[in-house]
Amino acid sequence: MKIALQKSGRLYDDSVKILKECGIELQNGMNKLLNEAINFPMQILFLRDDDIPQYVEDGVADIGIVGENIIHETHKNVALIEKLGFGKCRLSIAVPRNEHYDDANFLNNKRIATSYPYLLQKFLNENSVTAEIHEISGSVEITPGVGLADAICDLVSSGSTLFSNGLKETEVILNSEAVLISNKDLSAEKQLLLNKLVFRFQAVKKAKKYKYILLNAPDNKLDIICSLIPGMKSPTILPLGIDGWSSLHSVVHEDDFWNIIEGLKENGAEGILVAPIEKMVL
Ligand code: PRT
Ligand code: ZN
């Protein structure tokens, strides 16, 4: 099984990290373009992100990790298997801060600079707008300032690049994150390996959303405290060395975390410990 990852850039670290969290170790000291996992039947090809969908479509790589933005822009025939929760950004329209932008009609007969001509044209068509697209491979954000364009269509994450170039985000065309893609014609053997890998990805992803929680609770409040932290089936309850108290172990979802903690304290819970979870299999 061959997996294509970004050679260097924003997705490199997290892509290698997620493989590691799935128990897949790469060899040290191999060349920078090809590596082989030590403990999983997998070769790793390191490529420019823009090339990954093509390699996967052609079957030179069986699977790959790449931003959704690249998949939709290159519109290659690959299967989108799993969102991976990192590399989050959005493809947006931005215009000079002093412009008045009501809707996409603002862009009529304007010049728009972008590295995403396909997705931009699709957006313009959907909004019945005619505009001049200037395809640029980098530093798109400087084009309005130097008089090359009236608007841009570029990736945004924190928004600070737009801000420091005097631009404002006016429209989101696409939300994106890193995803696992696959060739549509995998052999049965490779499909099994992919299923194994997806199972591991899901366990890692799920674990990141949950915390392990331990606390001491007065026995007369056990019912209400158990209802606050039901966990996967029910909390584990163990007697403490002193009468009238128990120790509870459970898992809580990150989104509910602070509300739950407040409820626990109000009901007399003490010594609350919270720990990250590495893997979670339901
Ligand atoms: O060499 P190679 O072709 O492989 O890399 P690349 O230079 O084309 O891509 P790279 O490493 O910059 O980005 C890889 C992927 O990371 C992208 O395809 C996206 O899926 C994802 N990603 C997430 C981002 C951003 N966030 C991001 N903020 N890609 C680029 N940016 C750039 C954006 O283009 C703009 O210049 O960051 C700037 C804006 O960032 P903020 O934080 O100031 O808003
Ligand atoms: Zn690229």
Side-chain angles (χ1 to χ4, degrees):
M1 175 96 136
K2 291 201 185 84
I3 185 169
L5 304 185
Q6 192 189 24
K7 179 163 49 116
S8 61
R10 286 170 196 264
L11 301 184
Y12 172 83
D13 286 341
D14 284 330
S15 302
V16 172
K17 186 165 146 231
I18 200 166
L19 288 186
K20 196 167 181 191
E21 287 168 338
C22 291
I24 299 172
E25 300 275 346
L26 307 195
Q27 295 191 0
N28 285 325
M30 285 197 58
N31 76 50
K32 285 226 163 75
L33 301 177
L34 183 68
N35 199 308
E36 183 133 11
I38 296 170
N39 50 0
F40 198 83
M42 181 185 267
Q43 286 187 317
I44 300 95
L45 300 176
F46 289 102
L47 304 170
R48 283 202 57 192
D49 64 348
D50 316 69
D51 297 334
I52 291 176
Q54 181 75 63
Y55 273 69
V56 172
E57 184 188 272
D58 293 346
V60 178
D62 302 300
I63 58 175
I65 294 180
V66 69
E68 284 175 283
N69 49 307
I70 302 283
I71 298 170
H72 294 303
E73 178 63 25
T74 56
H75 50 282
K76 297 294 173 200
N77 190 20
V78 295
L80 203 156
I81 305 294
E82 182 81 20
K83 296 194 183 216
L84 299 177
F86 61 86
K88 288 191 177 169
C89 58
R90 48 202 191 269
L91 183 65
S92 293
I93 301 285
V95 302
R97 208 173 298 143
N98 55 6
E99 293 285 2
H100 187 80
Y101 185 106
D102 275 332
D103 55 36
N105 286 316
F106 171 92
L107 300 168
N108 251 320
N109 303 317
K110 297 273 188 354
R111 298 163 303 162
I112 314 169
T114 190
S115 309
Y116 292 85
Y118 175 81
L119 289 173
L120 174 57
Q121 188 61 61
K122 193 161 160 259
F123 169 79
L124 296 177
N125 293 348
E126 282 162 9
N127 288 278
S128 309
V129 170
T130 311
E132 213 179 287
I133 297 179
H134 287 253
E135 189 178 345
I136 293 194
S137 61
S139 303
V140 170
E141 65 280 359
I142 64 165
T143 55
V146 297
L148 255 172
D150 307 302
I152 67 167
C153 168
D154 199 11
L155 296 178
V156 181
S157 46
S158 69
S160 67
T161 302
L162 293 184
F163 184 81
S164 57
N165 284 279
L167 302 170
K168 63 178 176 187
E169 187 177 3
T170 56
E171 196 113 45
V172 176
I173 293 186
L174 177 84
N175 283 299
S176 176
E177 65 185 85
V179 287
L180 179 69
I181 56 170
S182 137
N183 178 275
K184 285 197 167 168
D185 204 14
L186 289 186
S187 67
E189 195 189 357
K190 284 177 177 171
Q191 187 62 50
L192 273 178
L193 280 176
L194 175 59
N195 295 348
K196 239 182 181 180
L197 194 64
V198 169
F199 176 78
R200 294 187 187 190
F201 276 148
Q202 287 173 343
V204 169
K205 243 173 59 180
K206 191 152 267 149
K208 285 187 181 154
K209 292 202 182 123
Y210 288 85
K211 304 274 179 232
Y212 191 72
I213 184 165
L214 299 93
L215 56 88
N216 296 330
D219 285 344
N220 60 359
K221 293 281 187 174
L222 276 184
D223 284 350
I224 179 140
I225 290 184
C226 284
S227 72
L228 290 171
I229 48 170
M232 288 196 271
K233 265 208 178 67
S234 86
T236 307
I237 306 173
L238 301 165
L240 278 189
I242 52 169
D243 268 357
W245 283 82
S246 296
S247 165
L248 266 70
H249 300 203
S250 193
V251 294
V252 292
H253 196 281
E254 204 175 50
D255 294 346
D256 310 327
F257 180 73
W258 289 109
N259 284 334
I260 289 177
I261 294 284
E262 282 159 20
L264 293 172
K265 282 175 67 78
E266 277 164 20
N267 285 288
E270 290 179 5
I272 303 173
L273 300 179
V274 176
I277 299 172
E278 216 177 84
K279 314 278 188 298
M280 195 158 161
V281 179
L282 298 182

